[in-house]
Amino acid sequence: MLLRIISISLMLVVMSGCSTTSNMKSVIDPTLNQNGGITIIADTCIMRDEIGTDVADDYFVIAESKELSQAILNASSNYLAGSGVQVREAIIPFVCGAAHDKGNSNKLVADEANGDLKDIKQPFGINTQIKPDKEYTDALSILSTYTAQYLSGATASDYLVALDKIKTSAGIIANRTNSDKILLFNVSGTSISSGKAFGQSIGKFFVGLGTAVATAGLGTGYYAYYIPGGDIDAVYIGAAVIDLESGFISWSNSLSVFEDPFDADDISDDEVIDRLLFDMVHKSPAALSIAAESVEIVKNSIESNVFIADLAKPEKYDARCRGGSGIRNAQSIQRPIQEAFNRILKSAGRYDLENGTKLTGTLDKIALSTSPSDAWWDMELTLENEYGKSMTVQSHYDFESSFRGSAACMQSGEAFRSAIQSLIKDAINDPAFTNLLTRDAPELEQASMQTKE
């Protein structure tokens, strides 16, 4: 069966199905095998869309969700092992663990398709081995909720979970799994009943952040990927590596597959997993080299601890390859920059979610040229601290392109990672960055006065 895949990941990943025959240079990320490898966790949430448009009849299914989780865990474990990455453990803690609304209102759910309906709260189908450990179950649900919103491109102000809870939850999971990092799959999908037509209104698949979603009692959906009353079989697969020691997402990617999520083998085939995880496993030597330089700069010139709490996407997304699709979905184009920045801070020993200076910002501009004679990435980034200080840095990165469109897009995807590292290096080399990490005298006096009051 031909997979209908719309990738919202790096173009490099989109094209990585041909990676075994490409000339792209890459190395396996050495951090993945540290401390005994990586633990994989899958949280899947499949909705059964019944005949008609009355969404009150739609419901979530447990058995089919777990089946897809298991298929993804099996396929990803094999992929990682084949790439030389050690997998410590693969876990399915529950289904629908990521809360869909602030109050975690009751949802309709059945043990399996066409089964008896229950009206209960998430998560569903909790693994009997972890169910007695509520602290662990809650921590997994919190991280899954945060990851789902992060992958959707939501801003920090929309998160259902506070950053301090994310750090605490990461610590609990690290203790229970004896891991320092996890690869978390956050999967959602809609299976259309046999009485419904297939293939209409693909655009309805993505529901805007903050939009009311009238699907199986979801309430206000901040990041839902279901189709209210729609006619499409579809699955959204998000993946993120979470640094449990520091509590931040160090890598993420996502893609959509327009197939019935009940067909677990089709959803989790080699092509899908390769497109999803290729960029996690394989790193560009050029990007790694620039990142190593940045780590040394931070170590030698920055004494304060800091973390990038959130980046907003640009108002205008101008990074399409040869007039075709974008290098990454507009909703999350800023995420690789946020992740790379925090990885550098962590490697330099300056990342601190609890006591470090909290920086937020916006990717103001991103533009791409793939001309054979003039190929480049242009980026502009604004960073701001909690006290109102800000800085803006512009970065230009040239790379070699090709007359052939497919080769040019492959090269632009590879250069994207190096361009990100170049942007970060330009930012931390700017004296304004160090200035963001300090407060001037008037601010200190004002803070002192407020304390006395």
Side-chain angles (χ1 to χ4, degrees):
M1 183 182 298
L2 178 64
L3 287 173
R4 291 167 288 278
I5 301 175
I6 293 181
S7 176
I8 55 176
S9 54
L10 295 178
M11 181 64 70
L12 175 61
V13 184
V14 173
M15 304 180 70
S16 66
C18 302
S19 59
T20 55
T21 58
S22 75
N23 294 321
M24 188 194 69
K25 298 178 180 178
S26 65
V27 295
I28 305 301
D29 184 353
T31 66
L32 294 176
N33 280 324
Q34 292 175 354
N35 193 27
I38 193 166
T39 294
I40 311 177
I41 298 173
D43 177 18
T44 298
C45 193
I46 298 175
M47 186 195 73
R48 182 64 167 174
D49 190 353
E50 289 298 324
I51 298 174
T53 58
D54 185 359
V55 296
D57 295 333
D58 300 337
Y59 57 93
F60 294 105
V61 289
I62 294 176
E64 290 81 359
S65 294
K66 286 188 175 182
E67 183 180 353
L68 181 52
S69 280
Q70 189 63 60
I72 289 174
L73 288 183
N74 292 343
S76 58
S77 295
N78 291 336
Y79 179 84
L80 293 175
S83 300
V85 177
Q86 184 175 348
V87 176
R88 294 175 60 97
E89 188 178 10
I91 305 170
I92 303 174
F94 38 54
V95 303
C96 300
H100 290 132
D101 55 84
K102 205 163 190 177
N104 192 20
S105 59
N106 284 12
K107 313 294 187 301
L108 288 178
V109 61
D111 288 332
E112 59 186 1
N114 302 316
D116 294 334
L117 296 182
K118 296 173 285 187
D119 190 26
I120 58 177
K121 295 183 181 296
Q122 298 170 256
F124 314 132
I126 301 174
N127 188 312
T128 55
Q129 293 183 336
I130 72 167
K131 192 170 185 177
D133 191 345
K134 188 175 186 304
E135 185 181 53
Y136 182 34
T137 304
D138 289 346
L140 289 166
S141 183
I142 285 171
L143 274 199
S144 186
T145 300
Y146 167 61
T147 300
Q149 289 192 274
Y150 176 95
L151 288 167
S152 76
T155 59
S157 61
D158 289 325
Y159 289 159
L160 299 178
V161 181
L163 288 177
D164 59 341
K165 285 192 175 182
I166 295 169
K167 176 67 184 296
T168 301
S169 297
I172 293 169
I173 296 170
N175 179 266
R176 300 299 196 276
T177 62
N178 294 316
S179 302
D180 62 0
K181 69 184 79 65
I182 59 172
L183 170 60
L184 176 62
F185 289 97
N186 191 277
V187 185
S188 59
T190 302
S191 177
I192 309 300
S193 65
S194 57
K196 278 203 166 184
F198 171 80
Q200 301 176 8
S201 306
I202 286 180
K204 292 181 181 178
F205 182 71
F206 296 102
V207 180
L209 300 178
T211 302
V213 182
T215 303
L218 286 180
T220 52
Y222 289 88
Y223 54 87
Y225 293 91
Y226 308 98
I227 314 161
D231 297 312
I232 299 175
D233 284 318
V235 179
Y236 167 87
I237 309 177
V241 174
I242 303 173
D243 185 301
L244 297 178
E245 179 183 359
S246 301
F248 72 92
I249 292 177
S250 63
W251 171 90
S252 67
N253 200 6
S254 52
L255 55 79
S256 302
V257 182
F258 292 99
E259 295 284 358
D260 188 345
F262 286 5
D263 297 330
D265 291 339
D266 285 344
I267 302 300
S268 61
D269 75 357
D270 293 343
E271 181 185 7
V272 171
I273 298 302
D274 184 41
R275 293 185 180 191
L276 186 66
L277 299 183
F278 183 88
D279 187 59
M280 181 194 83
V281 175
H282 301 85
K283 301 300 179 184
S284 160
L288 289 175
S289 176
I290 301 173
E293 293 178 39
S294 294
V295 169
E296 291 305 311
I297 293 170
V298 173
K299 284 182 178 179
N300 297 327
S301 62
I302 297 174
E303 297 181 356
S304 303
N305 289 340
V306 59
F307 68 100
I308 310 297
D310 191 40
L311 290 182
K313 64 181 183 293
E315 292 184 4
K316 181 180 180 182
Y317 176 48
D318 185 16
R320 294 182 299 168
C321 179
R322 294 283 170 96
S325 60
I327 294 299
R328 190 176 174 115
N329 174 42
Q331 294 293 337
S332 60
I333 185 65
Q334 76 280 17
R335 293 308 187 205
I337 298 170
Q338 180 177 346
E339 294 155 8
F341 220 129
N342 282 330
R343 286 198 306 269
I344 287 170
L345 294 172
K346 170 73 185 302
S347 296
R350 296 292 184 266
Y351 182 95
D352 188 343
L353 179 62
E354 295 175 310
N355 302 308
T357 299
K358 176 182 175 181
L359 299 183
T360 57
T362 303
L363 178 60
D364 302 310
K365 173 189 175 183
I366 178 168
L368 166 69
S369 169
T370 57
S371 168
S373 60
D374 186 27
W376 45 258
W377 279 100
D378 267 348
M379 299 184 191
E380 181 178 303
L381 176 69
T382 295
L383 295 174
E384 182 176 358
N385 68 14
E386 299 170 87
Y387 317 108
K389 290 183 180 179
S390 65
M391 66 168 287
T392 298
V393 60
Q394 297 176 333
S395 184
H396 180 88
Y397 185 84
D398 294 308
F399 65 94
E400 293 185 4
S401 186
S402 173
F403 286 100
R404 291 172 49 240
S406 59
C409 289
M410 175 71 79
Q411 289 157 339
S412 66
E414 182 180 359
F416 180 59
R417 294 178 291 181
S418 299
I420 288 172
Q421 296 296 342
S422 181
L423 172 69
I424 295 171
K425 183 179 176 182
D426 290 342
I428 61 177
N429 266 324
D430 192 322
F433 182 76
T434 303
N435 193 40
L436 285 182
L437 310 185
T438 61
R439 292 188 290 174
D440 55 29
E443 288 171 326
L444 290 171
E445 291 175 3
Q446 184 178 6
S448 178
M449 291 176 61
Q450 291 174 346
T451 302
K452 291 179 180 179
E453 292 176 358

